[in-house]
Amino acid sequence: MGGPRFEPVRAVRAYERVVEQVEEAIESGVLVPGGRLPSERELMTQFSVSRSTVREALRVLQARGLVRSRPGDPHGAEVLPFSPAALHKSMTTLARVAELSLGELVQFRMVLDASAVLLAARLRTEEQLAEMYAAVAAMRAAAEADDAGGGTSEEAFGAADMAFHDAIARAGGNKLVQICTDVVRSIVVKLIADRIAGEPDRGSLMRRSIRHHEEVIAAVRAGDGPLAARLSRKAMYDYYAGYVEESERSALRALLE
Amino acid sequence: MGGPRFEPVRAVRAYERVVEQVEEAIESGVLVPGGRLPSERELMTQFSVSRSTVREALRVLQARGLVRSRPGDPHGAEVLPFSPAALHKSMTTLARVAELSLGELVQFRMVLDASAVLLAARLRTEEQLAEMYAAVAAMRAAAEADDAGGGTSEEAFGAADMAFHDAIARAGGNKLVQICTDVVRSIVVKLIADRIAGEPDRGSLMRRSIRHHEEVIAAVRAGDGPLAARLSRKAMYDYYAGYVEESERSALRALLE
DNA sequence: CTAGTGCACTGGTCTGACCAGTAGGCTACG
DNA sequence: CGTAGCCTACTGGTCAGACCAGTGCACTAG
């Protein structure tokens, strides 16, 4: 101990410094969504680096979802409004590389959705409640179309289901919960889309899901958060348990009290 | 309707196809962590593209946390084991660009931590319980060092706290919950590190936090998940409420029942 | 006033070059 | 024979300059 503790000076690549500066400009608000970066050739003179370096930096920024560039665009790369696309990408990679099981993903959704619904029961506006009702109505319409042999009805059902959960999440008022819910939902749906489409008894699954959603809405309307949360977990479990490995279901049931 | 619905063929850049192929190789297990990619010059012949294109692809893969390259390394870029670094990065960006408030972040932690602790109460092993005890002991040691005027004690306290929550999350058995908890925790800590360090009555805050943690452990040991979850939320609230905007605290309290 | 055309400039890609740094083989010394 | 130190063949990082297809805008012809 004692004496100055020097840190190793890691070599910072030129393109990294370019990334840093642009990132800083975006986060500090100097560059606003919809705004434009100078052209690559302009950037290379401003940063005193070559175009390859500028381009590598732009690739990184693009991978992080901060900018987008189109060939031929005379205005330069566009600064994007925030989108969870990058989060989505890294979570998808996570799901594959870290070998996340369907059970873990569903469990995560149970947790987040239940909290969102708990919060929604207290914070929702009348308008958001109406959206939830509308979403359930759309689900019912899709289910009926399915009974009649409609082709793309499970797609419509899924979209309505998403609208419902999105309304809940927005009503809950936590953007992070909302975004994570959405990201994980899309991953889960993608994982089992084919299995759902081939489900023999799809109709009864849909009907049961609709009933569950209605119960959740009723609890939200009544302002009973804990009940709504319980119902929400139950609904999620019932809908997805069939697709989850038997060995993982007990961990899911642990959330049902 | 009717007739084939053609999709617009979006122009796929060369470097994107390189990224896709390498990503595919990693996710399918052809390339394992610790393994090496061919050198850039080798890759450019394999993919029949120029080195610039190869390098842009590598930058993207690096930004996604899949590979790392060192100058002079004769073995080529290294395939990395999974790390939540990319997730961390995109969530940090999210927090800044999407203007996530401290309140939302803390609320998110309350939700995730409570679920982790709920699951841990059922699934924890004796070994993991011991780790939790050890972490609390370390917290106490740090708090005592702080009373004695130790310099880096709040750092040690934070590290022990992290170890505690990490043990809980691992015991809960959901990797996604564990990772998200960890990522958000580090963001929160970074946001208020300076405020915590300057806290006048840090000692009592630490002591109260330790007591809370002990209560949580007791409930986990007893297998009472719901109680442990409640205590965990309470502990988190007590610790962070002071740093959260007054207007947001009610949303946090909504989680306390 | 509008429809069409041309041009200036963009991003995407390629080629070829140089540099600093690394690893591992080779050599010379003990 | 063993080892310390050098040497070389490579690596990734960066640069310069070139070409192409595509875009938006100004200009022009109707």
Side-chain angles (χ1 to χ4, degrees):
Chain A
M1 294 231 198
R5 285 188 311 175
F6 295 117
E7 292 187 0
V9 278
R10 63 181 180 89
V12 169
R13 285 81 198 248
Y15 79 89
E16 282 181 5
R17 275 173 306 196
V18 174
V19 167
E20 276 171 23
Q21 285 199 46
V22 177
E23 219 165 21
E24 162 64 22
I26 292 177
E27 282 169 2
S28 70
V30 175
L31 286 169
V32 293
R36 301 303 185 121
L37 257 55
S39 75
E40 295 180 358
R41 288 166 177 88
E42 170 69 25
L43 285 173
M44 74 185 240
T45 71
Q46 286 193 24
F47 285 110
S48 293
V49 294
S50 73
R51 193 147 89 96
S52 343
T53 303
V54 168
R55 286 182 58 76
E56 290 184 25
L58 288 178
R59 289 286 87 83
V60 173
L61 291 166
Q62 188 166 330
R64 293 195 186 152
L66 292 174
V67 306
R68 173 184 53 182
S69 40
R70 266 179 324 139
D73 189 335
H75 300 108
E78 183 185 359
V79 178
L80 293 178
F82 167 75
S83 110
L87 189 71
H88 188 284
K89 187 75 199 171
S90 41
M91 243 189 220
T92 308
T93 310
L94 172 62
R96 291 203 258 186
V97 178
E99 296 170 332
L100 293 182
S101 65
L102 180 61
E104 282 176 294
L105 292 165
V106 169
Q107 194 174 47
F108 195 78
R109 280 195 67 192
M110 285 173 76
V111 167
L112 285 192
D113 233 64
S115 338
V117 99
L118 179 74
L119 293 167
R122 299 218 182 186
L123 307 172
R124 52 83 181 177
T125 63
E126 286 301 320
E127 193 183 24
Q128 287 161 337
L129 196 63
E131 282 174 33
M132 298 174 205
Y133 277 112
V136 173
M139 289 170 76
R140 194 179 296 110
E144 278 162 13
D146 192 77
D147 283 342
T152 59
S153 53
E154 82 243 2
E155 205 174 295
F157 186 84
D161 182 67
M162 180 177 89
F164 178 84
H165 288 282
D166 195 57
I168 291 273
R170 267 182 292 116
N174 189 310
K175 287 195 286 273
L176 189 52
V177 169
Q178 185 187 344
I179 292 166
C180 287
T181 297
D182 189 60
V183 166
V184 177
R185 187 198 51 74
S186 72
I187 295 174
V188 167
V189 166
K190 187 162 193 177
L191 273 179
I192 60 175
D194 50 342
R195 282 197 270 171
I196 284 189
E199 181 67 45
D201 200 15
R202 202 162 69 229
S204 78
L205 201 63
M206 285 183 182
R207 276 190 293 277
R208 196 159 39 145
S209 175
I210 291 173
R211 200 170 59 246
H212 279 150
H213 281 67
E214 286 170 338
E215 290 169 4
V216 170
I217 284 198
V220 167
R221 168 175 225 162
D224 189 343
L227 174 63
R230 257 198 317 279
L231 290 169
S232 160
R233 282 188 290 258
K234 183 81 169 60
M236 185 89 61
Y237 178 81
D238 278 1
Y239 194 76
Y240 289 110
Y243 306 107
V244 172
E245 294 286 322
E246 172 54 36
S247 58
E248 290 190 306
R249 274 183 223 159
S250 67
L252 261 52
R253 278 195 294 272
L255 290 177
L256 298 178
E257 260 123 312
Chain B
M1 291 218 203
R5 287 187 311 174
F6 293 118
E7 291 186 2
V9 278
R10 63 181 180 89
V12 169
R13 284 78 200 252
Y15 78 89
E16 282 181 5
R17 275 172 308 200
V18 174
V19 167
E20 277 171 23
Q21 285 198 47
V22 177
E23 220 165 20
E24 162 65 22
I26 292 177
E27 282 168 3
S28 70
V30 175
L31 286 169
V32 294
R36 300 303 185 119
L37 257 55
S39 76
E40 296 180 358
R41 288 165 177 89
E42 171 68 26
L43 285 174
M44 74 184 240
T45 70
Q46 286 194 24
F47 285 111
S48 292
V49 294
S50 73
R51 193 148 90 97
S52 348
T53 303
V54 167
R55 284 182 58 76
E56 289 185 25
L58 288 178
R59 288 288 87 84
V60 174
L61 291 166
Q62 189 166 331
R64 293 194 185 151
L66 293 174
V67 305
R68 173 183 54 181
S69 39
R70 260 182 329 139
D73 189 336
H75 301 107
E78 183 184 0
V79 178
L80 293 178
F82 166 75
S83 110
L87 189 71
H88 188 285
K89 186 77 198 169
S90 41
M91 243 189 221
T92 308
T93 312
L94 173 61
R96 290 203 259 187
V97 178
E99 295 171 334
L100 292 182
S101 65
L102 181 61
E104 283 177 293
L105 292 166
V106 170
Q107 194 175 48
F108 195 78
R109 279 196 68 191
M110 285 174 75
V111 167
L112 285 192
D113 233 65
S115 338
V117 99
L118 178 74
L119 293 167
R122 300 218 180 186
L123 307 171
R124 53 86 183 171
T125 63
E126 286 302 320
E127 192 182 25
Q128 286 161 338
L129 195 64
E131 283 175 31
M132 298 175 207
Y133 275 113
V136 172
M139 288 170 76
R140 193 179 298 112
E144 278 163 14
D146 191 76
D147 283 342
T152 59
S153 52
E154 81 243 1
E155 205 174 293
F157 187 83
D161 181 68
M162 180 177 89
F164 178 84
H165 289 282
D166 195 57
I168 291 273
R170 267 182 291 117
N174 190 309
K175 286 196 285 273
L176 188 52
V177 169
Q178 184 187 345
I179 292 165
C180 286
T181 296
D182 189 60
V183 167
V184 177
R185 188 198 51 75
S186 73
I187 295 174
V188 167
V189 166
K190 187 162 193 179
L191 272 179
I192 60 175
D194 49 343
R195 282 197 268 173
I196 285 189
E199 180 68 44
D201 200 14
R202 201 161 71 229
S204 78
L205 201 62
M206 285 182 180
R207 276 188 293 276
R208 196 159 39 145
S209 175
I210 291 172
R211 201 170 56 248
H212 280 150
H213 282 66
E214 287 169 338
E215 290 169 5
V216 170
I217 285 198
V220 167
R221 168 175 225 163
D224 189 343
L227 173 64
R230 256 197 319 278
L231 289 169
S232 159
R233 282 187 291 258
K234 183 80 169 60
M236 185 90 60
Y237 177 82
D238 278 0
Y239 194 76
Y240 289 109
Y243 305 107
V244 172
E245 294 286 323
E246 173 53 36
S247 59
E248 290 190 307
R249 275 183 223 159
S250 68
L252 261 53
R253 277 194 295 271
L255 290 176
L256 298 178
E257 261 124 307

